Amino acid sequence: MNIVLLGIQGSGKGTLVSNLEGKLDFTLISVGQLLREEVASGSKLGEKIHNAQTKGLLVDFDIVMDILSKRLNSNVKDNIIFDGFPRNLEQAIAFDKIVDLDYVIYLNLSKDIAQERLVNRLTCSKCGYITRKSDVNSNICPKCGGELTTRADDTPDGIKKRIEVYEKETNPLIYLYRSRGKLVEIDASKTPNEILNDVLKVIG
């Protein structure tokens, strides 16, 4: 089973994936995490990715496809959840050639709530775990012991730019996958447990 997670930044895609662990046997392929790992490696490719991310722009298509293809060619389980890909119609067309999708889970959230969540978000630099500043007492990740940090693009200007890019580039995917009968819309303003239960009703 192949599943894509769609949703505005801050809609809870990372939290949903974390909550699905232990309830569904799957391999997570997070393009965002793959890109962050490349940035952390200090490579020239990582520098290009970092420059795009700090400006709130989508990373070049060829770079994303190369990194994704390498991950798909490695040892993965039968069930795959794709987080952060595809992000536009061009990527979706290329994606069709390498993956047969079963579901597209769309976490629907308003811009105002998304912005509020992003301003208060902390992300583990090691495992990608996501939490809120108000929910932790230190910068130590409770999941792996890594460092909880504010992402470089989680600034007011960066957040605004990313949401603008999302609306322009990613929103058309909602209509595409709805027309194909693949889209499952979830109210992402609910609590994490409620969102988890709604998703499990579909894929569990």
Side-chain angles (χ1 to χ4, degrees):
M1 180 167 58
N2 296 315
I3 299 169
V4 160
L5 295 182
L6 276 185
I8 195 171
Q9 293 85 352
S11 59
K13 297 186 294 295
T15 299
L16 172 60
V17 168
S18 179
N19 289 339
L20 282 170
E21 290 183 344
K23 298 183 181 298
L24 185 68
D25 185 31
F26 66 92
T27 294
L28 171 67
I29 296 184
S30 169
V31 171
Q33 184 63 21
L34 292 177
L35 294 176
R36 286 190 288 274
E37 289 172 359
E38 190 66 37
V39 171
S41 74
S43 68
K44 291 184 178 180
L45 180 60
E47 290 181 11
K48 292 182 179 180
I49 295 170
H50 178 70
N51 289 336
Q53 290 177 330
T54 54
K55 295 176 182 177
L57 302 175
L58 292 178
V59 178
D60 285 348
F61 173 72
D62 290 339
I63 293 176
V64 174
M65 287 304 299
D66 182 50
I67 290 177
L68 178 62
S69 295
K70 288 179 181 178
R71 181 68 183 94
L72 285 173
N73 288 332
S74 64
N75 184 26
V76 297
K77 301 174 184 176
D78 292 333
N79 296 322
I80 304 176
I81 295 179
F82 295 88
D83 176 14
F85 192 89
R87 288 198 172 183
N88 57 37
L89 290 176
E90 181 184 21
Q91 292 179 359
I93 293 170
F95 195 55
D96 284 342
K97 298 176 181 178
I98 58 176
V99 174
D100 290 325
L101 277 180
D102 295 285
Y103 298 106
V104 175
I105 305 296
Y106 168 43
L107 300 180
N108 190 359
L109 188 71
S110 71
K111 287 194 298 184
D112 290 341
I113 297 177
Q115 289 172 327
E116 180 182 352
R117 288 182 180 179
L118 291 170
V119 167
N120 292 288
R121 182 169 71 174
L122 290 173
T123 303
C124 178
S125 58
K126 184 177 181 181
C127 72
Y129 174 81
I130 297 173
T131 187
R132 295 181 300 179
K133 296 175 182 178
S134 58
D135 291 340
V136 293
N137 296 318
S138 71
N139 66 340
I140 303 301
C141 175
K143 187 175 180 180
C144 75
E147 182 183 7
L148 294 173
T149 63
T150 298
R151 281 172 44 175
D153 51 356
D154 275 350
T155 62
D157 287 342
I159 291 169
K160 180 180 178 181
K161 180 64 177 179
R162 281 154 58 209
I163 289 177
E164 289 175 353
V165 171
Y166 169 84
E167 291 183 323
K168 177 182 178 181
E169 299 283 350
T170 309
N171 266 349
L173 296 181
I174 296 169
Y175 300 100
L176 172 68
Y177 290 123
R178 180 179 286 130
S179 70
R180 294 180 177 179
K182 302 285 187 180
L183 194 77
V184 177
E185 188 167 337
I186 303 293
D187 181 358
S189 67
K190 293 182 177 182
T191 67
N193 281 337
E194 289 173 330
I195 293 172
L196 173 64
N197 290 332
D198 286 347
V199 171
L200 286 175
K201 289 176 183 177
V202 177
I203 67 175

